[in-house]
């Protein structure tokens, strides 16, 4: 159960930029990776259909298209990310209720501070939240 | 009447690990009843005790969200493909407040808190 999320710094930077761009609304998206690899490689920013400061929801048709695309590419949603814009980067009860991808890393970014971001990652399985370490790697070094 | 149903990871415990199962029925309700007969317990993850579609899942017939096709009354034909995905949603707001914000959608009963059951 000692899990860790290993993720490229360029992807983390792009997620933070997405969260900043949509602030004060919550931003959300997926990072796909090869099935079974546990390695997030392809960032897919999603629309927040709720367009809300306190709630996010994938557009169901966009989600179908993206999930099919992942299936066709033999990918899976390795990371599902969203931002909290006024509270800490910790899963809310709503996040836990909805968490439906037991194999995914749930990455939360808090943009409540204007100059710094809090970035944390969790596994959410059967309503149980387990925080994990984030190992941010630089692809130019790692590859 | 054979309808192919794609099952998400989180529900594959009901289908013996299968990603794709076959079902029959001329409406979504009939299909779900048929699936539940073969994969006991699946219905409880798709339909609320009040008889509406669970907010935690999206169900599609071919390329369309069933919420736009009459929800549980949506018609099915031989050869249709049904896809079930976990709805991806959440956010900082508490669940009750989120449900209130989303409002009473006839096809999307929000008062569903017992996901862990079943």
């Amino acid at each position: 159960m000692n899990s860790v999320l290993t993720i490229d710094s360029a992807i983390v930077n792009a997620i933070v930029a997405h969260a900043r761009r949509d602030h004060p609304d919550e931003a959300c998206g997926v990072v796909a990776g090869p099935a079974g690899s546990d390695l997030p490689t392809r960032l897919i920013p999603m629309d927040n259909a709720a367009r809300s400061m306190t709630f996010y929801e994938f557009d169901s048709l966009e989600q179908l298209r993206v999930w099919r695309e992942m299936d066709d590419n033999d990918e899976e949603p390795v990371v599902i990310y969203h931002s909290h814009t006024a509270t800490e980067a910790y899963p809310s009860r709503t996040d836990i209720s909805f968490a439906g991808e037991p194999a995914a890393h749930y990455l939360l970014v808090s943009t409540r501070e204007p100059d710094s971001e809090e970035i944390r990652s969790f596994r959410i399985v059967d309503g149980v939240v387990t925080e994990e370490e984030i190992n941010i790697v630089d692809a130019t070094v790692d590859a | 009447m054979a309808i192919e149903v794609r099952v998400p990871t989180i529900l594959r415990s009901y289908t013996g690990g299968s990603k794709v199962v076959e079902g029959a029925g001329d409406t979504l309700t009939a299909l779900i009843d048929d699936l539940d007969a073969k994969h006991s317990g699946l219905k409880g993850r798709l339909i609320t005790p009040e008889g509406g579609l669970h907010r935690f899942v999206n169900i599609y017939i071919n390329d369309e969200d069933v919420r736009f096709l009459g929800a549980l009354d949506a018609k099915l034909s031989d050869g249709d493909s049904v896809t079930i995905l976990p709805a991806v949603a959440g956010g900082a707001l508490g669940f009750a407040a989120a449900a209130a914000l989303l409002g009473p959608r006839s096809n999307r009963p929000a008062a569903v808190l017992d996901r862990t059951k079943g």
Side-chain angles (χ1 to χ4, degrees), chain A residues 26 52 54-58 60-61 63-64 67-68 71 80 82 84 87 92 94-95 97-102, chain B residues 6 10 19 55-56 58 60 62-65 83 85-95 98 101-102 108 115:
Chain A
E26 293 194 3
S52 162
T54 50
F55 191 71
Y56 81 95
E57 184 175 34
F58 285 6
S60 69
L61 296 180
Q63 187 190 347
L64 178 65
W67 255 244
R68 276 193 182 152
D71 223 31
I80 294 176
H82 77 282
H84 286 176
T87 55
S92 67
T94 316
D95 294 332
S97 298
F98 272 96
E101 291 286 0
Chain B
R6 304 184 77 82
I10 197 166
K19 185 176 176 178
R55 258 197 68 77
F56 298 115
N58 294 335
Y60 308 86
N62 302 320
D63 297 327
E64 191 58 274
D65 186 328
T83 303
L85 293 182
V88 183
L93 202 61
F95 192 95
L101 180 79
L102 290 164
R108 290 192 145 195
R115 160 197 183 84

Side-chain angles (χ1 to χ4, degrees), chain B residues 8-110:
Chain B
T9 310
I10 197 166
L11 298 182
R12 286 179 203 159
S13 54
Y14 296 93
T15 61
S18 293
K19 185 176 176 178
V20 181
V21 297
E22 269 200 0
D26 55 6
T27 63
L28 185 57
T29 300
L31 174 70
I32 290 173
D33 283 338
D34 180 65
L35 291 175
D36 195 66
K38 299 171 192 155
H39 312 287
S40 182
L42 193 56
K43 183 177 180 173
R45 301 297 296 269
L46 305 177
I47 297 180
T48 66
E50 295 76 28
L53 278 176
H54 249 298
R55 258 197 68 77
F56 298 115
V57 290
N58 294 335
I59 304 179
Y60 308 86
I61 297 175
N62 302 320
D63 297 327
E64 191 58 274
D65 186 328
V66 299
R67 292 179 176 106
F68 304 128
L69 298 172
L72 288 165
D73 296 329
K75 297 280 183 284
L76 285 163
S77 307
D78 200 11
D80 278 344
S81 172
V82 168
T83 303
I84 305 168
L85 293 182
V88 183
L93 202 61
F95 192 95
L101 180 79
L102 290 164
R105 301 190 196 179
S106 57
N107 295 334
R108 290 192 145 195

Side-chain angles (χ1 to χ4, degrees), chain A residues 50-123:
Chain A
R51 296 191 194 289
S52 162
M53 296 190 283
T54 50
F55 191 71
Y56 81 95
E57 184 175 34
F58 285 6
D59 175 83
S60 69
L61 296 180
E62 183 183 28
Q63 187 190 347
L64 178 65
R65 187 169 51 72
V66 167
W67 255 244
R68 276 193 182 152
E69 199 174 84
M70 285 193 283
D71 223 31
D72 292 345
N73 294 342
D74 203 20
E75 292 173 323
E76 59 192 5
V78 179
V79 171
I80 294 176
Y81 72 86
H82 77 282
S83 62
H84 286 176
T85 58
T87 55
E88 66 172 334
Y90 191 87
S92 67
R93 285 181 58 191
T94 316
D95 294 332
I96 297 164
S97 298
F98 272 96
E101 291 286 0
H105 302 267
Y106 284 87
L107 188 78
L108 276 84
V109 178
S110 173
T111 54
R112 68 176 162 178
E113 302 294 339
D115 303 321
S116 64
E117 296 83 24
E118 183 190 19
I119 305 168
R120 296 167 74 178
S121 184
F122 306 86
R123 295 285 191 168

